[in-house]
Amino acid sequence: MREVENMQDVNDMQNIQDDRLTDIKSLNLEELTEFIAGLGEAKFRGKQIYDWMHVKKVESLDEMGNVPGKLKEKLRKETRFVCLKPVDVLISQIDGTRKYLFGLHDGNVIESVFMRYKHGNSVCISSQVGCRMGCRFCASTLDGLTRNLTPSEMLEQIYAIERHTGERVSNVVVMGSGEPMDNYDNLLKFIELLTDVNGINISQRNLTVSTCGIVPKINELAKRKFQMTLAISLHASSDEQRKELMPVANAFSIEEIMNACRNYFENTGRRITFEYSLVQGVNDRLEDSERLSRLLKGLNCHVNLIPVNPIKERNYRQSTAKSITDFKNRLERNGINVTIRREMGRDINGACGQLRKSYMDKRENQ
Ligand code: SAH
């Protein structure tokens, strides 16, 4: 099933936004209050406007009922109001999973995914337009990095999905396109706003951030002692093997990543998740499973095995069902917690970044 809106409408509506203006949805309550005071307005208006944006999640300044018209006029001149609109939505007929393509004010598009679980609704958001990490099996990085997303654009993926579905989101995973640690300052601001009790108020425990392993940033994040889950995209059990799949392995060794993970656990007490995408004949042999077990021994962690999702630009193939189960059983026998990632929305399934890629390719060929 597909719901399509006209991209042109979205652009027309959002062209009025200007990058030089203050992005009010990226300000915390204190900053917003100061900003409003700077406009010569009463400070309590800051809290009112914050509430309209982050609790009621309105789509425009016009909807802010108790904000005086004069102040709205000032805000229209001095600020930009980031609000995402879906340009394409794929809805799974199997389990209700939805893939959203959102248009940004500068004409870029990003992908987000909505999933329903027994314990609540989860949204997977993008942190950048494109990505510069170059992982060989990933569609998001094929055209490199276009730009970082602002905190407001990260939040709006969640708000827009709540508006579109009429349902609350309780879990957020930063596992869409982009490398969150390569957009570190905006990520921190996003976490602050997402978990603010005065805002959408999602608990840190319900947030997962996934990284390809940028060690200095993992160590910085550890100091913050957030109660969120850190997920590491490992995908290999030796540096040589990892370098073949992930160029970032040339910058940081697996040993450095493991040390950063131990440090993260010591600082936060949070169990680390390791993502391991199984690629036929590349990293799915039993000796890989053994080597992975040795690497993880003694670390409080959990392994998420992901059968690689083949993209047409590369000829990586998914491991066979038997080698996936053998790999899992071997890890378990070695005392490692492991799950095989449940496939959501099988009928609309496409690898991370593929929906955006096909949309961009189509637009270029028009
Ligand atoms: N940059 C971050 C988050 C984005 S990708 C990171 O590297 O963790 C989210 C996860 O999906 C990562 O583990 C990534 O390696 C994996 N992934 C990307 N493309 C994939 C594909 N085609 N098949 C299987 N996993 C993929």
PDB file of all heavy atoms in Angstrom, residues 191-220:
ATOM      1  N   ILE A 191      19.086  14.120  21.928  1.00  0.00           N
ATOM      2  CA  ILE A 191      18.837  13.263  23.104  1.00  0.00           C
ATOM      3  C   ILE A 191      18.259  14.107  24.246  1.00  0.00           C
ATOM      4  O   ILE A 191      17.316  13.703  24.928  1.00  0.00           O
ATOM      5  CB  ILE A 191      20.126  12.523  23.547  1.00  0.00           C
ATOM      6  CG1 ILE A 191      20.604  11.569  22.446  1.00  0.00           C
ATOM      7  CG2 ILE A 191      19.906  11.759  24.859  1.00  0.00           C
ATOM      8  CD1 ILE A 191      21.954  10.906  22.718  1.00  0.00           C
ATOM      9  N   GLU A 192      18.842  15.286  24.416  1.00  0.00           N
ATOM     10  CA  GLU A 192      18.362  16.176  25.488  1.00  0.00           C
ATOM     11  C   GLU A 192      16.874  16.516  25.278  1.00  0.00           C
ATOM     12  O   GLU A 192      16.070  16.428  26.209  1.00  0.00           O
ATOM     13  CB  GLU A 192      19.209  17.462  25.488  1.00  0.00           C
ATOM     14  CG  GLU A 192      18.789  18.444  26.567  1.00  0.00           C
ATOM     15  CD  GLU A 192      19.473  19.809  26.436  1.00  0.00           C
ATOM     16  OE1 GLU A 192      20.455  19.946  25.675  1.00  0.00           O
ATOM     17  OE2 GLU A 192      19.001  20.742  27.109  1.00  0.00           O
ATOM     18  N   LEU A 193      16.517  16.881  24.048  1.00  0.00           N
ATOM     19  CA  LEU A 193      15.128  17.275  23.774  1.00  0.00           C
ATOM     20  C   LEU A 193      14.182  16.075  23.837  1.00  0.00           C
ATOM     21  O   LEU A 193      13.079  16.159  24.370  1.00  0.00           O
ATOM     22  CB  LEU A 193      15.040  17.952  22.398  1.00  0.00           C
ATOM     23  CG  LEU A 193      15.743  19.316  22.290  1.00  0.00           C
ATOM     24  CD1 LEU A 193      15.854  19.753  20.831  1.00  0.00           C
ATOM     25  CD2 LEU A 193      15.013  20.372  23.105  1.00  0.00           C
ATOM     26  N   LEU A 194      14.635  14.946  23.314  1.00  0.00           N
ATOM     27  CA  LEU A 194      13.798  13.739  23.269  1.00  0.00           C
ATOM     28  C   LEU A 194      13.436  13.243  24.665  1.00  0.00           C
ATOM     29  O   LEU A 194      12.356  12.710  24.892  1.00  0.00           O
ATOM     30  CB  LEU A 194      14.556  12.628  22.513  1.00  0.00           C
ATOM     31  CG  LEU A 194      13.827  11.308  22.349  1.00  0.00           C
ATOM     32  CD1 LEU A 194      12.846  11.395  21.169  1.00  0.00           C
ATOM     33  CD2 LEU A 194      14.793  10.147  22.115  1.00  0.00           C
ATOM     34  N   THR A 195      14.376  13.398  25.596  1.00  0.00           N
ATOM     35  CA  THR A 195      14.184  12.822  26.930  1.00  0.00           C
ATOM     36  C   THR A 195      13.747  13.869  27.950  1.00  0.00           C
ATOM     37  O   THR A 195      13.635  13.576  29.138  1.00  0.00           O
ATOM     38  CB  THR A 195      15.480  12.123  27.412  1.00  0.00           C
ATOM     39  OG1 THR A 195      16.539  13.091  27.400  1.00  0.00           O
ATOM     40  CG2 THR A 195      15.863  10.973  26.506  1.00  0.00           C
ATOM     41  N   ASP A 196      13.502  15.103  27.497  1.00  0.00           N
ATOM     42  CA  ASP A 196      13.100  16.183  28.402  1.00  0.00           C
ATOM     43  C   ASP A 196      11.699  15.918  28.948  1.00  0.00           C
ATOM     44  O   ASP A 196      10.761  15.677  28.180  1.00  0.00           O
ATOM     45  CB  ASP A 196      13.129  17.507  27.610  1.00  0.00           C
ATOM     46  CG  ASP A 196      12.749  18.693  28.484  1.00  0.00           C
ATOM     47  OD1 ASP A 196      12.631  18.515  29.716  1.00  0.00           O
ATOM     48  OD2 ASP A 196      12.542  19.781  27.919  1.00  0.00           O
ATOM     49  N   VAL A 197      11.563  15.990  30.268  1.00  0.00           N
ATOM     50  CA  VAL A 197      10.239  15.745  30.880  1.00  0.00           C
ATOM     51  C   VAL A 197       9.213  16.790  30.446  1.00  0.00           C
ATOM     52  O   VAL A 197       8.009  16.542  30.482  1.00  0.00           O
ATOM     53  CB  VAL A 197      10.297  15.718  32.440  1.00  0.00           C
ATOM     54  CG1 VAL A 197      11.000  14.471  32.926  1.00  0.00           C
ATOM     55  CG2 VAL A 197      10.947  16.969  32.997  1.00  0.00           C
ATOM     56  N   ASN A 198       9.674  17.968  30.035  1.00  0.00           N
ATOM     57  CA  ASN A 198       8.750  18.996  29.547  1.00  0.00           C
ATOM     58  C   ASN A 198       8.380  18.811  28.079  1.00  0.00           C
ATOM     59  O   ASN A 198       7.595  19.576  27.536  1.00  0.00           O
ATOM     60  CB  ASN A 198       9.366  20.391  29.696  1.00  0.00           C
ATOM     61  CG  ASN A 198       9.510  20.784  31.144  1.00  0.00           C
ATOM     62  OD1 ASN A 198       8.544  20.794  31.884  1.00  0.00           O
ATOM     63  ND2 ASN A 198      10.734  21.070  31.554  1.00  0.00           N
ATOM     64  N   GLY A 199       9.000  17.836  27.421  1.00  0.00           N
ATOM     65  CA  GLY A 199       8.761  17.634  26.001  1.00  0.00           C
ATOM     66  C   GLY A 199       8.105  16.294  25.743  1.00  0.00           C
ATOM     67  O   GLY A 199       7.214  15.863  26.484  1.00  0.00           O
ATOM     68  N   ILE A 200       8.572  15.573  24.721  1.00  0.00           N
ATOM     69  CA  ILE A 200       7.977  14.275  24.366  1.00  0.00           C
ATOM     70  C   ILE A 200       8.268  13.234  25.453  1.00  0.00           C
ATOM     71  O   ILE A 200       7.571  12.247  25.597  1.00  0.00           O
ATOM     72  CB  ILE A 200       8.406  13.810  22.948  1.00  0.00           C
ATOM     73  CG1 ILE A 200       7.745  12.484  22.548  1.00  0.00           C
ATOM     74  CG2 ILE A 200       9.879  13.777  22.776  1.00  0.00           C
ATOM     75  CD1 ILE A 200       7.921  12.086  21.087  1.00  0.00           C
ATOM     76  N   ASN A 201       9.338  13.488  26.233  1.00  0.00           N
ATOM     77  CA  ASN A 201       9.591  12.726  27.467  1.00  0.00           C
ATOM     78  C   ASN A 201       9.747  11.220  27.251  1.00  0.00           C
ATOM     79  O   ASN A 201       9.113  10.411  27.914  1.00  0.00           O
ATOM     80  CB  ASN A 201       8.457  13.013  28.471  1.00  0.00           C
ATOM     81  CG  ASN A 201       8.783  12.522  29.866  1.00  0.00           C
ATOM     82  OD1 ASN A 201       9.938  12.216  30.163  1.00  0.00           O
ATOM     83  ND2 ASN A 201       7.775  12.420  30.714  1.00  0.00           N
ATOM     84  N   ILE A 202      10.586  10.865  26.296  1.00  0.00           N
ATOM     85  CA  ILE A 202      10.886   9.447  26.092  1.00  0.00           C
ATOM     86  C   ILE A 202      12.059   9.082  26.996  1.00  0.00           C
ATOM     87  O   ILE A 202      13.050   9.819  27.085  1.00  0.00           O
ATOM     88  CB  ILE A 202      11.181   9.184  24.599  1.00  0.00           C
ATOM     89  CG1 ILE A 202       9.853   9.285  23.839  1.00  0.00           C
ATOM     90  CG2 ILE A 202      11.880   7.826  24.391  1.00  0.00           C
ATOM     91  CD1 ILE A 202       9.877   8.927  22.387  1.00  0.00           C
ATOM     92  N   SER A 203      11.921   7.984  27.711  1.00  0.00           N
ATOM     93  CA  SER A 203      12.947   7.616  28.685  1.00  0.00           C
ATOM     94  C   SER A 203      14.252   7.231  27.978  1.00  0.00           C
ATOM     95  O   SER A 203      14.236   6.632  26.906  1.00  0.00           O
ATOM     96  CB  SER A 203      12.393   6.472  29.528  1.00  0.00           C
ATOM     97  OG  SER A 203      13.379   5.522  29.766  1.00  0.00           O
ATOM     98  N   GLN A 204      15.368   7.573  28.596  1.00  0.00           N
ATOM     99  CA  GLN A 204      16.675   7.212  28.012  1.00  0.00           C
ATOM    100  C   GLN A 204      16.761   5.709  27.773  1.00  0.00           C
ATOM    101  O   GLN A 204      17.392   5.258  26.819  1.00  0.00           O
ATOM    102  CB  GLN A 204      17.814   7.643  28.941  1.00  0.00           C
ATOM    103  CG  GLN A 204      18.024   9.142  28.984  1.00  0.00           C
ATOM    104  CD  GLN A 204      19.142   9.553  29.938  1.00  0.00           C
ATOM    105  OE1 GLN A 204      19.814   8.717  30.533  1.00  0.00           O
ATOM    106  NE2 GLN A 204      19.327  10.848  30.083  1.00  0.00           N
ATOM    107  N   ARG A 205      16.118   4.945  28.628  1.00  0.00           N
ATOM    108  CA  ARG A 205      16.151   3.484  28.491  1.00  0.00           C
ATOM    109  C   ARG A 205      15.448   2.995  27.230  1.00  0.00           C
ATOM    110  O   ARG A 205      15.640   1.856  26.807  1.00  0.00           O
ATOM    111  CB  ARG A 205      15.498   2.818  29.706  1.00  0.00           C
ATOM    112  CG  ARG A 205      16.356   2.944  30.926  1.00  0.00           C
ATOM    113  CD  ARG A 205      15.734   2.326  32.142  1.00  0.00           C
ATOM    114  NE  ARG A 205      16.708   2.330  33.211  1.00  0.00           N
ATOM    115  CZ  ARG A 205      17.538   1.328  33.460  1.00  0.00           C
ATOM    116  NH1 ARG A 205      17.484   0.230  32.762  1.00  0.00           N
ATOM    117  NH2 ARG A 205      18.428   1.419  34.432  1.00  0.00           N
ATOM    118  N   ASN A 206      14.608   3.859  26.670  1.00  0.00           N
ATOM    119  CA  ASN A 206      13.883   3.483  25.453  1.00  0.00           C
ATOM    120  C   ASN A 206      14.544   4.030  24.194  1.00  0.00           C
ATOM    121  O   ASN A 206      13.914   4.118  23.150  1.00  0.00           O
ATOM    122  CB  ASN A 206      12.442   3.959  25.526  1.00  0.00           C
ATOM    123  CG  ASN A 206      11.645   3.196  26.557  1.00  0.00           C
ATOM    124  OD1 ASN A 206      12.132   2.221  27.122  1.00  0.00           O
ATOM    125  ND2 ASN A 206      10.446   3.634  26.829  1.00  0.00           N
ATOM    126  N   LEU A 207      15.804   4.417  24.328  1.00  0.00           N
ATOM    127  CA  LEU A 207      16.535   4.969  23.187  1.00  0.00           C
ATOM    128  C   LEU A 207      17.760   4.102  22.889  1.00  0.00           C
ATOM    129  O   LEU A 207      18.463   3.671  23.811  1.00  0.00           O
ATOM    130  CB  LEU A 207      16.994   6.405  23.526  1.00  0.00           C
ATOM    131  CG  LEU A 207      17.983   7.055  22.565  1.00  0.00           C
ATOM    132  CD1 LEU A 207      17.328   7.336  21.200  1.00  0.00           C
ATOM    133  CD2 LEU A 207      18.523   8.376  23.148  1.00  0.00           C
ATOM    134  N   THR A 208      17.976   3.815  21.618  1.00  0.00           N
ATOM    135  CA  THR A 208      19.178   3.097  21.191  1.00  0.00           C
ATOM    136  C   THR A 208      19.883   3.914  20.115  1.00  0.00           C
ATOM    137  O   THR A 208      19.239   4.417  19.195  1.00  0.00           O
ATOM    138  CB  THR A 208      18.812   1.718  20.589  1.00  0.00           C
ATOM    139  OG1 THR A 208      18.177   0.936  21.601  1.00  0.00           O
ATOM    140  CG2 THR A 208      20.047   0.963  20.100  1.00  0.00           C
ATOM    141  N   VAL A 209      21.191   4.066  20.263  1.00  0.00           N
ATOM    142  CA  VAL A 209      21.972   4.757  19.237  1.00  0.00           C
ATOM    143  C   VAL A 209      22.976   3.771  18.669  1.00  0.00           C
ATOM    144  O   VAL A 209      23.720   3.123  19.408  1.00  0.00           O
ATOM    145  CB  VAL A 209      22.703   5.998  19.819  1.00  0.00           C
ATOM    146  CG1 VAL A 209      23.627   6.619  18.787  1.00  0.00           C
ATOM    147  CG2 VAL A 209      21.693   7.028  20.318  1.00  0.00           C
ATOM    148  N   SER A 210      22.982   3.654  17.346  1.00  0.00           N
ATOM    149  CA  SER A 210      23.847   2.676  16.688  1.00  0.00           C
ATOM    150  C   SER A 210      24.993   3.380  15.975  1.00  0.00           C
ATOM    151  O   SER A 210      24.789   4.355  15.260  1.00  0.00           O
ATOM    152  CB  SER A 210      23.000   1.895  15.677  1.00  0.00           C
ATOM    153  OG  SER A 210      23.803   0.998  14.952  1.00  0.00           O
ATOM    154  N   THR A 211      26.208   2.867  16.162  1.00  0.00           N
ATOM    155  CA  THR A 211      27.378   3.484  15.531  1.00  0.00           C
ATOM    156  C   THR A 211      28.276   2.439  14.874  1.00  0.00           C
ATOM    157  O   THR A 211      28.335   1.297  15.326  1.00  0.00           O
ATOM    158  CB  THR A 211      28.202   4.291  16.563  1.00  0.00           C
ATOM    159  OG1 THR A 211      29.393   4.770  15.931  1.00  0.00           O
ATOM    160  CG2 THR A 211      28.586   3.457  17.775  1.00  0.00           C
ATOM    161  N   CYS A 212      28.974   2.871  13.838  1.00  0.00           N
ATOM    162  CA  CYS A 212      29.926   1.971  13.188  1.00  0.00           C
ATOM    163  C   CYS A 212      31.229   1.890  13.998  1.00  0.00           C
ATOM    164  O   CYS A 212      32.144   1.174  13.618  1.00  0.00           O
ATOM    165  CB  CYS A 212      30.191   2.430  11.758  1.00  0.00           C
ATOM    166  SG  CYS A 212      30.913   4.066  11.673  1.00  0.00           S
ATOM    167  N   GLY A 213      31.290   2.632  15.109  1.00  0.00           N
ATOM    168  CA  GLY A 213      32.437   2.470  16.012  1.00  0.00           C
ATOM    169  C   GLY A 213      33.442   3.606  15.978  1.00  0.00           C
ATOM    170  O   GLY A 213      34.642   3.374  15.793  1.00  0.00           O
ATOM    171  N   ILE A 214      32.968   4.841  16.148  1.00  0.00           N
ATOM    172  CA  ILE A 214      33.881   5.995  16.197  1.00  0.00           C
ATOM    173  C   ILE A 214      34.324   6.162  17.651  1.00  0.00           C
ATOM    174  O   ILE A 214      33.624   6.747  18.481  1.00  0.00           O
ATOM    175  CB  ILE A 214      33.189   7.244  15.605  1.00  0.00           C
ATOM    176  CG1 ILE A 214      32.780   6.889  14.160  1.00  0.00           C
ATOM    177  CG2 ILE A 214      34.094   8.463  15.671  1.00  0.00           C
ATOM    178  CD1 ILE A 214      32.267   8.000  13.330  1.00  0.00           C
ATOM    179  N   VAL A 215      35.498   5.582  17.941  1.00  0.00           N
ATOM    180  CA  VAL A 215      35.939   5.371  19.324  1.00  0.00           C
ATOM    181  C   VAL A 215      35.958   6.637  20.188  1.00  0.00           C
ATOM    182  O   VAL A 215      35.401   6.630  21.303  1.00  0.00           O
ATOM    183  CB  VAL A 215      37.309   4.630  19.314  1.00  0.00           C
ATOM    184  CG1 VAL A 215      37.955   4.644  20.683  1.00  0.00           C
ATOM    185  CG2 VAL A 215      37.097   3.203  18.815  1.00  0.00           C
ATOM    186  N   PRO A 216      36.562   7.744  19.735  1.00  0.00           N
ATOM    187  CA  PRO A 216      36.604   8.919  20.637  1.00  0.00           C
ATOM    188  C   PRO A 216      35.212   9.402  21.034  1.00  0.00           C
ATOM    189  O   PRO A 216      35.009   9.861  22.156  1.00  0.00           O
ATOM    190  CB  PRO A 216      37.314   9.993  19.802  1.00  0.00           C
ATOM    191  CG  PRO A 216      37.960   9.278  18.670  1.00  0.00           C
ATOM    192  CD  PRO A 216      37.208   8.015  18.442  1.00  0.00           C
ATOM    193  N   LYS A 217      34.259   9.267  20.124  1.00  0.00           N
ATOM    194  CA  LYS A 217      32.897   9.722  20.433  1.00  0.00           C
ATOM    195  C   LYS A 217      32.197   8.765  21.403  1.00  0.00           C
ATOM    196  O   LYS A 217      31.403   9.177  22.237  1.00  0.00           O
ATOM    197  CB  LYS A 217      32.056   9.857  19.150  1.00  0.00           C
ATOM    198  CG  LYS A 217      32.596  10.871  18.190  1.00  0.00           C
ATOM    199  CD  LYS A 217      32.555  12.277  18.768  1.00  0.00           C
ATOM    200  CE  LYS A 217      33.095  13.287  17.780  1.00  0.00           C
ATOM    201  NZ  LYS A 217      33.484  14.554  18.388  1.00  0.00           N
ATOM    202  N   ILE A 218      32.497   7.465  21.279  1.00  0.00           N
ATOM    203  CA  ILE A 218      31.919   6.508  22.237  1.00  0.00           C
ATOM    204  C   ILE A 218      32.417   6.865  23.640  1.00  0.00           C
ATOM    205  O   ILE A 218      31.657   6.885  24.606  1.00  0.00           O
ATOM    206  CB  ILE A 218      32.309   5.053  21.878  1.00  0.00           C
ATOM    207  CG1 ILE A 218      31.760   4.686  20.493  1.00  0.00           C
ATOM    208  CG2 ILE A 218      31.821   4.067  22.939  1.00  0.00           C
ATOM    209  CD1 ILE A 218      32.225   3.332  19.977  1.00  0.00           C
ATOM    210  N   ASN A 219      33.712   7.194  23.739  1.00  0.00           N
ATOM    211  CA  ASN A 219      34.266   7.543  25.045  1.00  0.00           C
ATOM    212  C   ASN A 219      33.674   8.851  25.579  1.00  0.00           C
ATOM    213  O   ASN A 219      33.443   8.983  26.778  1.00  0.00           O
ATOM    214  CB  ASN A 219      35.795   7.625  24.969  1.00  0.00           C
ATOM    215  CG  ASN A 219      36.407   6.231  24.850  1.00  0.00           C
ATOM    216  OD1 ASN A 219      35.858   5.251  25.373  1.00  0.00           O
ATOM    217  ND2 ASN A 219      37.520   6.123  24.149  1.00  0.00           N
ATOM    218  N   GLU A 220      33.423   9.798  24.689  1.00  0.00           N
ATOM    219  CA  GLU A 220      32.783  11.053  25.131  1.00  0.00           C
ATOM    220  C   GLU A 220      31.374  10.791  25.622  1.00  0.00           C
ATOM    221  O   GLU A 220      30.951  11.309  26.652  1.00  0.00           O
ATOM    222  CB  GLU A 220      32.717  12.057  23.971  1.00  0.00           C
ATOM    223  CG  GLU A 220      33.937  12.948  23.868  1.00  0.00           C
ATOM    224  CD  GLU A 220      33.732  14.043  22.829  1.00  0.00           C
ATOM    225  OE1 GLU A 220      32.705  14.746  22.903  1.00  0.00           O
ATOM    226  OE2 GLU A 220      34.602  14.166  21.945  1.00  0.00           O
TER     227      GLU A 220
END
